Amino acid sequence: MKRFRFPLRPVAVLRAHRESRAREVFATAVHDYVQAAAALESTRRRVADFEAALFAHREGRFQAAEEAHNLAGYRREAAEEVAAERALFAANATMAQRRNDYLEAHRQLEVVHRLEAKARSHYRIALGREEQAEFDDFSLRHARHRGTTIAP
């Protein structure tokens, strides 16, 4: 019998490459999400420190120019916090999309792997039948050669 050859092997190679690439893109998206979460945490820490400094300066004498400057700085930090939150939400959405892309690529690869496993199983069964037929033929020839009859 001929050696096993899976006709969809090129498809399997392409799907494996696509799945590998999707895994890399998903890993990059996870990395970006983690960085966005760290940036948000850092920004929140800075805003909290800024708030603490603002409240600490209010115990002394009120100076309008300094307070206006501090308030403008606080607004910038608060705007950065909002931007960091939006970046985190965007990174989360991108990560979810990349996860779905990866899972779909993985499913498509698994379909080809299951088809290959099924084809290999059918090949092994056919090979076993062919070997059994050869053994039966050999034993029948051997029995005829010796002049013995074999009951069916």
Side-chain angles (χ1 to χ4, degrees):
M1 185 169 209
K2 294 189 311 185
R3 187 172 167 223
F4 176 76
R5 184 182 173 285
F6 185 57
L8 296 177
R9 192 77 206 135
V11 174
V13 169
L14 288 174
R15 287 189 179 180
H17 177 69
R18 189 177 302 144
E19 189 250 359
S20 174
R21 181 70 184 129
R23 184 181 327 118
E24 290 171 4
V25 170
F26 174 56
T28 302
V30 169
H31 180 70
D32 292 345
Y33 175 78
V34 169
Q35 283 184 330
L40 177 61
E41 182 61 32
S42 172
T43 304
R44 284 185 175 161
R45 224 175 302 121
R46 281 195 331 260
V47 168
D49 292 344
F50 208 110
E51 287 173 350
L54 282 177
F55 288 122
H57 287 295
R58 289 193 178 168
E59 294 175 359
R61 190 167 170 206
F62 180 76
Q63 296 178 1
E66 186 178 332
E67 289 297 322
H69 179 69
N70 288 341
L71 186 58
Y74 176 73
R75 285 184 180 157
R76 279 191 304 274
E77 291 292 327
E80 284 183 32
E81 180 180 15
V82 169
E85 284 178 347
R86 287 184 181 151
L88 181 66
F89 293 145
N92 188 22
T94 301
M95 182 179 67
Q97 179 60 41
R98 299 297 180 250
R99 179 186 308 118
N100 290 337
D101 294 345
Y102 166 68
L103 289 175
E104 181 60 29
H106 183 71
R107 282 185 203 109
Q108 289 178 0
L109 179 62
E110 285 300 311
V111 166
V112 175
H113 284 315
R114 282 194 298 270
L115 287 172
E116 184 176 8
K118 189 181 280 188
R120 281 187 188 279
S121 174
H122 289 300
Y123 173 79
R124 286 186 186 116
I125 290 171
L127 182 65
R129 286 181 182 156
E130 187 175 309
E131 286 178 352
Q132 186 61 47
E134 287 177 10
F135 288 140
D136 291 346
D137 186 47
F138 176 76
S139 64
L140 187 62
R141 279 185 289 157
H142 183 67
R144 283 185 186 158
H145 178 70
R146 293 186 66 196
T148 344
T149 57
I150 298 179

